Amino acid sequence: MGVYELLKKAMEERNAEHYTEALHDDYEFVRHQSGTTMDKGEVSVMMSNMMGNPKIIINDPRCIYENDDILVEHSVMDFPDGSTEAVMAVHIKLDGKIIRTETGATLLGS
């Protein structure tokens, strides 16, 4: 099973612990909207909060491309404030786990 399938299953089950198991110990998350970064522990907290909130909905998740080095995925996400964003994530892989993620999001609608 590829990393994408593990992430997708964790998101469907809303299981943050299972999601973070796919992350390398030296993981770094880069948010281009704010220019900030987070480590594995910070992302674990964020994922727990996201998955615990039933108003955050991931629509149409799909794997664009995956091999041993990279995973590119896209989805449309609904947020509690009523906004909807198209989200692209690029994950760099090392030793079968994600070591770095960079995301970009586009607000949909007005």
Side-chain angles (χ1 to χ4, degrees):
M1 179 183 301
V3 173
Y4 176 76
E5 290 302 321
L6 294 172
L7 297 181
K8 184 178 176 190
K9 184 174 187 220
M11 295 301 284
E12 288 170 351
E13 296 173 352
R14 296 181 99 60
N15 186 331
E17 185 177 326
H18 189 70
Y19 187 97
T20 57
E21 288 173 1
L23 306 180
H24 192 280
D25 288 341
D26 295 327
Y27 177 77
E28 180 182 40
F29 179 80
V30 180
R31 300 174 85 177
H32 286 278
Q33 295 110 314
S34 63
T36 60
T37 62
M38 294 189 291
D39 64 20
K40 183 177 179 176
E42 293 166 318
V43 169
S44 178
V45 171
M46 178 184 73
M47 295 307 295
S48 291
N49 291 336
M50 282 180 57
M51 292 187 189
N53 187 336
K55 292 184 178 182
I56 295 178
I57 301 168
I58 300 172
N59 302 293
D60 305 319
R62 61 192 173 109
C63 177
I64 304 297
Y65 182 78
E66 181 174 11
N67 67 18
D68 290 341
D69 300 315
I70 192 168
L71 163 61
V72 180
E73 64 175 316
H74 183 270
S75 63
V76 175
M77 296 182 68
D78 295 327
F79 294 96
D81 66 0
S83 65
T84 300
E85 295 180 355
V87 180
M88 177 76 69
V90 177
H91 307 283
I92 305 301
K93 295 162 54 175
L94 178 67
D95 300 327
K97 293 195 173 209
I98 299 170
I99 191 154
R100 181 181 174 91
T101 299
E102 297 191 34
T103 64
T106 301
L107 185 62
L108 301 177
S110 52

